[in-house]
Amino acid sequence: MKSKMKRIAVCMVCVVLTGALLMGCGAAQQQNIAQNVPQATQQATIEDAASATENAVLAAEYEDNFAVDSKAAKEFAEKVKEVTARKDLEDLAELTAFPVYVGLPKAGIVETKEDFLNLGADAVFTEELMKSVETADIDHFEPSMAGFSISDGGTANINFGVVNGVLAITGINY
């Protein structure tokens, strides 16, 4: 929920900033502002705007898994692969919708982010899961009712799909 609220806030900031620019900051005013703002601040503002735009694109609302284009599915899968390669359980949790199925002994349905983090990175990031996610082909996703699967074809995989309009991890299998 926090993540969704954050995305909405970022989108709102982007809309407000875009509106202000379109409403007519004259070239002379922009030049005066630019002259009075240190170069490092200007660069940070540009980077923040680029990041906000990227987040707004990633936060697109989808009706279901079939509404997700292949580019968006690949971008989400790339994030999952990168987080998995780092064995970053906190970041993986941020990409996950709870409750989530985790196919570990004594895990099953994990109700909350806190419960997920309590499983521990060593338990979640098994050698088999790491290998499967690392070698998964994410260039040719086909949507299904169940979503998308990041897998090398074996039993270990990370599944994701549309949850409340956004892409999120919906299951981890071993």
Side-chain angles (χ1 to χ4, degrees):
M1 187 67 154
K2 265 187 192 178
S3 181
K4 186 172 183 177
M5 293 300 293
K6 185 177 178 182
R7 289 184 196 132
I8 291 170
V10 168
C11 288
M12 290 176 66
V13 169
C14 288
V15 169
V16 170
L17 289 174
T18 302
L21 288 173
L22 293 176
M23 291 300 289
C25 289
Q29 289 175 322
Q30 288 178 344
Q31 186 175 7
N32 282 340
I33 292 169
Q35 288 173 348
N36 293 325
V37 177
Q39 184 65 28
T41 303
Q42 289 178 19
Q43 185 61 34
T45 303
I46 292 167
E47 290 170 2
D48 289 345
S51 176
T53 301
E54 178 184 333
N55 288 338
V57 170
L58 294 174
E61 295 251 348
Y62 301 105
E63 186 174 321
D64 59 29
N65 294 323
F66 296 99
V68 179
D69 62 50
S70 59
K71 181 181 177 193
K74 181 179 179 178
E75 288 174 357
F76 188 83
E78 285 172 341
K79 279 185 165 185
V80 173
K81 286 182 79 157
E82 186 263 322
V83 165
T84 302
R86 288 187 286 123
K87 295 185 178 183
D88 189 330
L89 195 58
E90 181 74 35
D91 282 355
L92 192 68
E94 288 299 318
L95 298 173
T96 301
F98 293 95
V100 64
Y101 175 77
V102 179
L104 291 171
K106 300 181 183 178
I109 302 297
V110 178
E111 295 292 332
T112 66
K113 178 180 175 181
E114 182 179 308
D115 292 339
F116 182 72
L117 295 173
N118 286 337
L119 293 174
D122 289 338
V124 173
F125 296 113
T126 65
E127 187 176 322
E128 183 182 17
L129 182 67
M130 298 287 294
K131 179 184 174 290
S132 181
V133 170
E134 178 185 355
T135 59
D137 176 12
I138 61 171
D139 289 319
H140 302 96
F141 277 126
E142 291 293 328
S144 71
M145 292 294 286
F148 306 88
S149 185
I150 304 170
S151 172
D152 65 358
T155 57
N157 59 59
I158 297 178
N159 298 314
F160 67 94
V162 175
V163 179
N164 297 324
V166 297
L167 292 174
I169 295 171
T170 56
I172 303 173
N173 298 296
Y174 297 90

